[in-house]
Structure formats: structure tokens, C-alpha cells
Amino acid sequence: MTTDVRFDEVIHAPQRLRIVAMLASVAGLEFGAVRDALDVSDSVLSKHLKVLEDAGYVKVQKTKRSGRTWTSASLTRAGRSAYDGHVAALRAIVDGAAEATAGTEQR
């Protein structure tokens, strides 16, 4: 499968990039685990997940266990594709900068 190299403004925001990167390596994560890893408030994480969900990149699920509601998030197929394309675009930017400065001396 070929990755569509595409800079993605939705994913690029630092916290959303971190969220998507975390979700890319697992089947899903519980809300609290993501919140704690990012060291943000519930409301901040909720807003970022909403943006990603509205873009079709993340699926947020609520389940009842032991009388409590648990919220988890997982990356959708579209989210995986967008993340892979964004990472490829960032690599192209970095590689291009490295090529542009190859052979030049620091001043």
C-alpha cells in the first residue's frame, strides 16, 4: 500500500499529533491513560478528541463496566491513513531541509 504524502492541519496540532501517535501503536486507549500521558485536563482532551472524531480520524466509544462509564479512543482507517501521510510529509520536509543544507558549513 502506498502512503499518500500529505501534510494534515487537523493532525498537526501538537496535542492531536501526540494523541494520534499514541493511538497508532495500539488497538485503543482509555481516556484517562491518554489524558495522563499528555498531562492535560479532561476538557482539553475532550476537545481534541472531538476535532479528531469530527474529521473521521478517531472513534470514541463509551462502555459501562462495574457501574461506571469508560471512554476509550481508537484510530480509524482514515485516521491511520492521514497519520501515515502526515508523518511522510514531515519526513519529506526534514529530508528536504537536510539536502538543502548538505555540504554547507555552519557559521
Side-chain angles (χ1 to χ4, degrees):
M1 182 170 126
T2 305
T3 299
D4 181 23
V5 178
R6 184 176 69 88
F7 190 89
D8 192 297
E9 293 288 341
V10 172
I11 291 176
H12 190 66
Q15 296 293 15
R16 290 195 293 269
L17 180 56
R18 291 180 67 198
I19 292 166
V20 175
M22 285 191 300
L23 294 176
S25 63
V26 296
L29 284 173
E30 197 269 322
F31 184 93
V34 177
R35 178 200 59 221
D36 294 347
L38 297 178
D39 194 26
V40 296
S41 67
D42 287 358
S43 63
V44 168
L45 179 55
S46 292
K47 288 176 186 175
H48 285 300
L49 287 175
K50 176 77 170 124
V51 170
L52 291 166
E53 188 175 33
D54 287 349
Y57 295 167
V58 168
K59 181 176 182 180
V60 176
Q61 295 178 304
K62 295 184 183 283
T63 56
K64 295 257 185 195
R65 287 189 305 200
S66 305
R68 291 187 60 195
T69 301
W70 294 87
T71 303
S72 62
S74 58
L75 204 56
T76 64
R77 184 172 291 166
R80 162 67 66 187
S81 177
Y83 174 68
D84 289 346
H86 187 71
V87 169
L90 292 175
R91 283 194 177 117
I93 291 168
V94 171
D95 291 346
E99 289 175 15
T101 59
T104 62
E105 293 182 29
Q106 266 188 325
R107 295 178 188 193

